[in-house]
């Protein structure tokens, strides 16, 4: 277990299109001091404060992605895939500069972000890493959708989905999650969508940058991507990836078990807010003292 905080060793940049806005954006991930957390900076905005510190309360919209908003009303969309990569690769502190309204979708998974963070490297900092340890079960329910956090010895993620198409059907994944498991089991799993929904989404200003190169597209019972799936249960694995990114808006890695049933970004954030409203259900914990005693 990583007991000290880390930031990236050097700056690393990449660029791509936003899946919903269709806007090109260039991103640079830079080192940050200990206890900074993850702070996004809209470098294209110069007429007002352009920083957005990640927090549960900063999430302002959750339709088909997680959108955060700063104190000056500046927003940034679709942060969840990078957030999942940051927390699972052990990056506690980073400044993420983005020159557009939405994070690039890349290939629809976290794989490109993992590659960028690997290229940047990682540097230990002289501050203990803080974990959110779940002490009591917290659950949110919306009809047949459910998300919960409960006690566990480490970080566990379980997810279940059920879609009325033979392309997906019922899928479930249950994983003990650490960096190796994330790299091996989840990081390359792509977002997905249905062809019949595309026109309606575009009328709402969404999915303008989506296509077969950055999403798995389903038409009826058929998968339209010529290369097919990366894994037979890629759909539910991507939902687990999303949940990990959505939980990291809390600002700390987690010791606990997440379970989602038909949940999405909205319910994930409702769970984050429910946890914050229950200070008896969690505590911040470090392991530096435990390490010193063991030595």
């Amino acid at each position: 277990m990583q007991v000290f905080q880390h930031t990236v060793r050097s700056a690393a940049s990449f660029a791509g299109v936003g899946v919903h806005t269709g806007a090109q954006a260039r991103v640079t991930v830079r080192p940050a001091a200990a206890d900074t957390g993850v702070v996004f900076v809209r470098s294209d905005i110069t007429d007002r404060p352009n920083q957005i510190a990640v927090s549960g309360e900063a999430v302002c919209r959750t339709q088909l992605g997680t959108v955060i908003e700063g104190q000056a009303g500046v927003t940034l969309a679709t942060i969840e895939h990078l957030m999942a990569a940051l927390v699972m690769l052990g990056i506690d502190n980073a400044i993420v500069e983005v020159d557009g309204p939405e994070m690039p979708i890349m290939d629809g998974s976290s794989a490109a972000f993992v590659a960028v963070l690997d290229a940047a490297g990682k540097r230990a900092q002289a501050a203990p890493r803080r974990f959110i340890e779940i002490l009591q079960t917290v659950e949110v329910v919306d009809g047949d959708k459910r998300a919960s956090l409960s006690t566990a010895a480490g970080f566990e993620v379980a997810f279940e989905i059920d879609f009325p198409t033979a392309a997906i059907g019922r899928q479930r994944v249950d994983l003990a999650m650490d960096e190796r498991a994330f790299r091996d089991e989840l990081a390359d799993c792509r977002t997905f969508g249905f062809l019949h929904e595309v026109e309606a989404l575009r009328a709402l200003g969404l999915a303008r940058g989506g296509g077969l190169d950055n999403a798995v597209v389903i038409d009826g019972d058929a998968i339209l991507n010529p290369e097919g799936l990366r894994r037979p249960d890629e759909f539910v694995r991507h939902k687990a990836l999303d949940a990990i990114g959505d939980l990291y808006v809390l600002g700390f890695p987690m010791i606990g078990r997440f379970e989602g049933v038909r949940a999405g970004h909205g319910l994930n954030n409702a769970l984050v807010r429910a946890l914050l409203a229950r200070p008896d259900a969690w505590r911040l914990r470090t392991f530096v003292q435990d390490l010193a005693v063991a030595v």
Side-chain angles (χ1 to χ4, degrees):
M1 178 182 289
Q2 180 176 300
V3 298
F4 289 98
Q5 293 180 34
H6 284 69
T7 188
V8 291
R9 182 175 297 278
S10 60
S13 298
F14 58 96
V17 66
V19 67
H20 294 307
T21 61
Q24 288 281 341
R26 182 170 180 81
V27 180
T28 301
V29 183
R30 300 188 185 278
D35 296 322
T36 298
V38 179
V39 178
F40 288 91
V41 178
R42 282 284 304 275
S43 58
D44 58 314
I45 293 178
T46 58
D47 63 339
R48 59 191 188 278
N50 60 2
Q51 293 191 350
I52 313 171
V54 172
S55 70
E57 296 86 351
V59 176
C60 62
R61 294 196 302 276
T62 54
Q63 184 180 20
L64 300 179
T66 296
V67 184
I68 54 175
E69 182 176 10
Q71 292 183 349
V74 174
T75 64
L76 181 69
T78 321
I79 66 167
E80 60 271 12
H81 300 167
L82 174 61
M83 293 295 289
L86 286 168
V87 67
M88 295 315 305
L89 269 62
I91 302 298
D92 304 281
N93 306 298
I95 303 297
V96 184
E97 298 175 354
V98 189
D99 68 355
E102 183 180 16
M103 283 291 299
I105 192 63
M106 310 310 282
D107 73 345
S109 76
S110 286
F113 303 121
V114 169
V116 167
L117 295 176
D118 283 344
K122 190 165 70 171
R123 175 171 58 84
Q125 298 174 290
R129 193 179 204 203
R130 290 171 289 176
F131 296 78
I132 289 180
E133 182 179 21
I134 304 301
L135 304 177
Q136 298 180 34
T137 298
V138 176
E139 182 179 57
V140 291
V141 178
D142 180 11
D144 64 350
K145 303 173 183 178
R146 178 175 61 84
S148 66
L149 290 167
S150 56
T151 60
F155 182 37
E156 301 174 4
V157 177
F159 216 107
E160 181 177 325
I161 59 174
D162 187 5
F163 284 86
T165 166
I168 304 177
R170 181 182 292 273
Q171 297 183 1
R172 179 174 173 81
V173 68
D174 193 333
L175 297 166
M177 189 53 50
D178 57 15
E179 179 178 345
R180 177 48 54 193
F182 181 76
R183 289 177 180 272
D184 293 347
E185 304 288 347
L186 298 183
D188 66 343
C189 294
R190 297 163 292 176
T191 192
F192 60 94
F194 297 89
L195 185 63
H196 71 272
E197 296 178 347
V198 170
E199 288 188 5
L201 289 173
R202 288 180 175 169
L204 295 171
L206 302 172
R208 292 178 176 174
L212 295 177
D213 58 341
N214 55 35
V216 179
V217 182
I218 304 152
D219 184 15
D221 291 334
I223 293 169
L224 299 186
N225 302 64
E227 75 279 10
L229 296 176
R230 294 175 176 174
R231 303 166 187 267
D233 58 352
E234 183 172 2
F235 304 102
V236 74
R237 288 174 183 265
H238 182 79
K239 296 289 280 186
L241 183 159
D242 276 346
I244 292 170
D246 287 343
L247 290 176
Y248 196 37
V249 299
L250 287 161
F252 306 99
M254 185 168 291
I255 301 171
R257 176 178 175 83
F258 170 87
E259 293 190 36
V261 177
R262 303 183 185 90
H265 299 293
L267 207 61
N268 293 343
N269 188 248
L271 181 62
V272 164
R273 292 172 184 265
L275 182 70
L276 292 174
R278 286 276 312 278
D280 61 316
W282 58 281
R283 65 175 176 175
L284 285 179
R285 182 176 177 185
T286 65
F287 289 88
V288 172
Q289 185 176 1
D290 295 351
L291 183 65
V293 171
V295 171

